[in-house]
Amino acid sequence: MLVNQLKVGTMENFCYILSCPDTRKAAVIDPGADEHLILAELDRHVLELEYILLTHFHYDHTCKASHLRQATGALVAMHEADIPYFREQVDVVLKDGDIIHAGEQIRLQVMHTPGHTPGGVCYYGHGRLFTGDTLFVRDSGRTDFAYSHRPTLGASLRRVMQLPEDTVVMPGHDYGPAPASTLLEEKRHNINAKEYGFYKP
Ligand SMILES: [Zn+2]
Ligand SMILES: [Zn+2]
């Protein structure tokens, strides 16, 4: 599976294009802006988009999902607990533990990681964890929004920290000193590690 990390919009958002080089099938995670850039990348690599995977309902992650859906026929996927807050079409209703397949090489497990939003998810596969606004490089998602809950986010973070420590963290925003990290680095250096109980010296 190939991963293309794109910076989109004006809020340091990361959108990801995942592709299978054998079949040219692709999935996009969080198309929050710059749909023309995303479509140009799909065209440039001759990719057929199968899934639009949303980490949560916030506008900066979902804004161009319907546009891409119309342009490509791909299916929009979101966790069931965020759907009440999302006004657009969802084709695939996600639950914890679901597996997304595209092409021969794309295989992602859905991990329900509520706290930033009720239906926030991370997508895990191929040694990578796409974390949306659950976990950033050196920080974690805001919990001062209407549907956020800080202790719940802490529980979600402790859960993802049980994955292998060399798992690569691919966040939803470029807020840290690097565009990606590992779970071990976050256990050691994340600003919220002690508060949330996943600190490792
Ligand atoms: Zn958010
Ligand atoms: Zn965000």
Side-chain angles (χ1 to χ4, degrees), residues 56 58 60-61 116-117 133 145 173:
H56 65 298
H58 285 157
D60 57 314
H61 299 258
H116 176 69
T117 66
D133 285 359
F145 292 118
H173 290 268

Side-chain angles (χ1 to χ4, degrees), residues 60-169:
D60 57 314
H61 299 258
T62 59
C63 180
K64 298 304 178 186
S66 291
H67 182 105
L68 276 190
R69 180 178 184 271
Q70 291 235 307
T72 64
L75 302 175
V76 172
M78 173 179 273
H79 189 272
E80 56 183 354
D82 262 17
I83 289 176
Y85 312 105
F86 186 57
R87 286 155 199 253
E88 294 169 47
Q89 181 73 39
V90 173
D91 306 293
V92 181
V93 179
L94 300 176
K95 288 188 166 67
D96 186 63
D98 284 352
I99 306 286
I100 301 282
H101 278 286
E104 296 289 326
Q105 294 192 22
I106 300 170
R107 184 183 185 281
L108 296 168
Q109 181 186 335
V110 176
M111 293 183 75
H112 184 207
T113 54
H116 176 69
T117 66
V121 298
C122 296
Y123 295 98
Y124 175 60
H126 308 270
R128 299 169 192 258
L129 187 68
F130 298 90
T131 55
D133 285 359
T134 294
L135 178 65
F136 303 124
V137 176
R138 307 297 185 266
D139 203 348
S140 57
R142 285 173 61 175
T143 54
D144 57 335
F145 292 118
Y147 304 104
S148 302
H149 190 249
R150 197 163 183 84
T152 301
L153 182 63
S156 292
L157 287 166
R158 289 192 294 280
R159 181 171 173 230
V160 302
M161 291 297 169
Q162 317 225 338
L163 294 170
E165 289 185 324
D166 61 353
T167 300
V168 176
V169 175

